[in-house]
Amino acid sequence: MGCMCSTLASKFAFFPPSPPTYKILHPENNDGKLTVVASPSSTTTSFPLPHAQDNSLDVLLIDNKRGSKIVAFYLRNPYARLTLLYSHGNAADLGQLYDLFVQLKVALRVNLIGYDYSGYGSSTGKPSEENTYADIEAVYECLETEYGVSQEDLILYGQSVGSGPTLHLASKLPRLRGVVLHSAILSGLRVVCHVKFTFCFDIYKNINKIKNVKCPVLVIHGTEDDIVNWLHGNGLWEMARDPYEPLWIKGGGHCNLELYPDYIRHLCRFVQEMENITTEIRLKKIRQNMHVHKRSCASHCCRIKVCRPKCPECSMPKCVKCSWRPKCSSCCWKPKCSSCWKPKCSSCWKPKCSSCWKPKCSSCWKPKCSSCWKPSCIKCCWRPKSLKCAGPSCCITCFQWRCCVGGTQSGLDRRQDG
């Protein structure tokens, strides 16, 4: 039922220009390069399209996993460090957006790729939510294989309906450089009516996917948007895990934000800051976000809430099935009862030095059998429990274990040091 309702909703959600504003010409020779011209049957205003000899533009036909052929424009900038993947809004195609693409390529100093959804422009297939997801995944795969663009050097840009496939892909790529949401929607149903719950037949549930985006998110929205209310952009910005300073354009509508000077100025600053983010800074921010998330989701030790380690390096387990091995004694997690700390195999807990684990009392760590505790160095690390085990050794300083035979307090201290 939910699938049928979603298909029905898609019919009322997508409005591709008819006829398309451009036409793809296949090459007559064997060079294999596609060209684009204005569609003679289009009744809309003519838009500037590239010349056939323009080497800065690649016209692509990309196959998606649902059997459609997607048209994409890839615009090169020789000075670019990042690539922008643009998902356009409703009732538009690449012919109408080419002039904007050229301006963004120059002003932002990026490579830019835009694409038409299934059923839009010269792309085959029918427009639907699932098809747009397949479309953007195919375009991203093309960027990886054909142009060598990794997610670390990619910024996703979604306008209006394009925020749906943008957040769908962004939620799957943990190392993206950034995301731009332009007049974005919380969900398809929330554009039509004010609802507080997400229904199964709703489309583009961005309100749920924004929480899984780990990179910086820039939200741009007009305060006088009469199609997608400003509250949609504000809600996405508040729920983002790493929100960037938003741009609320006073008096801006739904389709005219590019005309405001603040639009390109704020967008340039965002792209420049994304360029200056080094790998070290990005990893540090990811660790901080992981640390905050783990602290907020504290686990229980025998139904008693305990603290997570403050050092992110100490919270990374080497053996996921059994236990993790702390690297420092000052910030590592120490359970309150001995039953919460029992490795499954003897190879999981073998400290390299005596300073790795210092329990406060001698009863914190007592293996049941002598075979469970076999350090690599029996001269200095192992404290025997009987005189038979304490044979002569080559190291005089190591042969001072009085605790094993009921010795002095100093012997107890030495046993605790182990």
Side-chain angles (χ1 to χ4, degrees), residues 116-161:
D116 268 337
Y117 312 121
S118 298
Y120 279 70
S122 295
S123 297
T124 63
K126 295 182 179 180
S128 68
E129 179 187 10
E130 295 300 325
N131 281 345
T132 58
Y133 294 159
D135 298 339
I136 194 171
E137 290 175 357
V139 173
Y140 170 68
E141 184 179 354
C142 175
L143 282 176
E144 277 191 315
T145 57
E146 299 296 330
Y147 297 97
V149 178
S150 62
Q151 57 179 293
E152 291 86 352
D153 299 325
L154 183 64
I155 296 177
L156 300 185
Y157 190 112
Q159 178 187 9
S160 187
V161 170

Side-chain angles (χ1 to χ4, degrees), residues 10 40 58 70 100 103 166 197 207 213 241 289 300 304 339:
S10 298
D58 290 343
I70 306 303
L100 174 63
Q103 296 179 27
T166 294
F197 303 98
I207 190 172
V213 178
R241 297 175 61 174
N289 292 338
H300 295 270
I304 300 177
S339 61

Side-chain angles (χ1 to χ4, degrees), residues 325 348-357 373 375-377 381 418:
R325 303 176 184 180
C348 291
W349 181 256
K350 290 184 179 180
K352 296 181 179 180
C353 62
S354 59
S355 61
C356 291
W357 178 257
W373 182 258
S376 57
C377 177
C381 301

Side-chain angles (χ1 to χ4, degrees), residues 63-137:
D63 295 322
N64 70 3
K65 63 183 179 181
R66 298 175 71 89
S68 300
K69 287 188 177 295
I70 306 303
V71 179
F73 290 175
Y74 181 83
L75 288 78
R76 267 187 210 85
N77 189 326
Y79 305 101
R81 296 174 56 188
L82 301 177
T83 299
L84 189 74
L85 198 166
Y86 194 105
S87 301
H88 62 71
N90 214 344
D93 62 14
L94 293 179
Q96 298 170 323
L97 295 169
Y98 176 74
D99 188 44
L100 174 63
F101 288 171
V102 174
Q103 296 179 27
L104 292 178
K105 178 192 75 169
V106 176
L108 303 181
R109 201 176 61 178
V110 295
N111 298 317
L112 189 146
I113 185 169
Y115 65 101
D116 268 337
Y117 312 121
S118 298
Y120 279 70
S122 295
S123 297
T124 63
K126 295 182 179 180
S128 68
E129 179 187 10
E130 295 300 325
N131 281 345
T132 58
Y133 294 159
D135 298 339
I136 194 171
E137 290 175 357

Side-chain angles (χ1 to χ4, degrees), residues 258-270:
E258 298 89 351
L259 304 178
Y260 289 81
D262 288 342
Y263 166 80
I264 195 66
R265 188 182 304 119
H266 198 84
L267 197 55
C268 284
R269 191 178 71 176
F270 173 75

